[in-house]
Amino acid sequence: MKSITLKLLVLAMLLVIPACSKSSKSIKPPDVDYYTCTMHPSVHAEAPGKCPICGMDLVPVMKKDSSSSPPASGSPSGGGMQGMAGMPGMQSGSQTSGPPSHEFVVPVERQQQIGVPMQR
């Protein structure tokens, strides 16, 4: 009787201990497509970690959603620069009539921040 109880106790412990241990596999959030390095966008990983080239932390790239607005500039999943989001005086996606202009205006405050010499 004691040997059966002891065997059942050992069996129960063998089943419970692995269930309590932390899984080595990390589960990525459902809105993350993959992880990449900001300096090496060719690096793609399924889980967060370090870049094998430079050792920087990998950042998440969100899944594209066709119903949402275009991604912000600087996003690894973005298809080019859509504007200077977050900068005063720069409007993302502004449409003007006439031929497209390849000029933009940098506000004086931003010129001072980046050290552009003042024009005389």
Side-chain angles (χ1 to χ4, degrees):
M1 182 69 172
K2 284 186 179 185
S3 84
I4 294 175
T5 307
L6 183 60
K7 288 178 184 177
L8 287 175
L9 181 63
V10 170
L11 181 61
M13 289 182 74
L14 288 175
L15 293 175
V16 171
I17 290 174
C20 292
S21 67
K22 189 174 184 179
S23 174
S24 63
K25 249 186 169 179
S26 63
I27 300 171
K28 66 180 180 180
D31 59 339
V32 173
D33 193 13
Y34 59 91
Y35 293 86
T36 188
C37 177
T38 55
M39 297 300 292
H40 304 99
S42 62
V43 174
H44 289 200
E46 292 297 317
K50 300 280 185 184
C51 174
I53 299 170
C54 64
M56 290 179 59
D57 290 332
L58 299 179
V59 295
V61 175
M62 303 303 173
K63 291 182 179 177
K64 291 182 183 178
D65 185 15
S66 60
S67 64
S68 67
S69 62
S73 68
S75 172
S77 63
M81 292 186 62
Q82 300 293 327
M84 302 294 282
M87 291 187 63
M90 301 291 173
Q91 296 179 353
S92 177
S94 62
Q95 298 291 325
T96 59
S97 61
S101 173
H102 298 288
E103 297 178 0
F104 62 94
V105 177
V106 179
V108 175
E109 297 86 18
R110 183 66 181 141
Q111 290 179 15
Q112 291 173 346
Q113 288 176 342
I114 61 176
V116 175
M118 300 299 290
Q119 295 179 351
R120 296 177 193 224

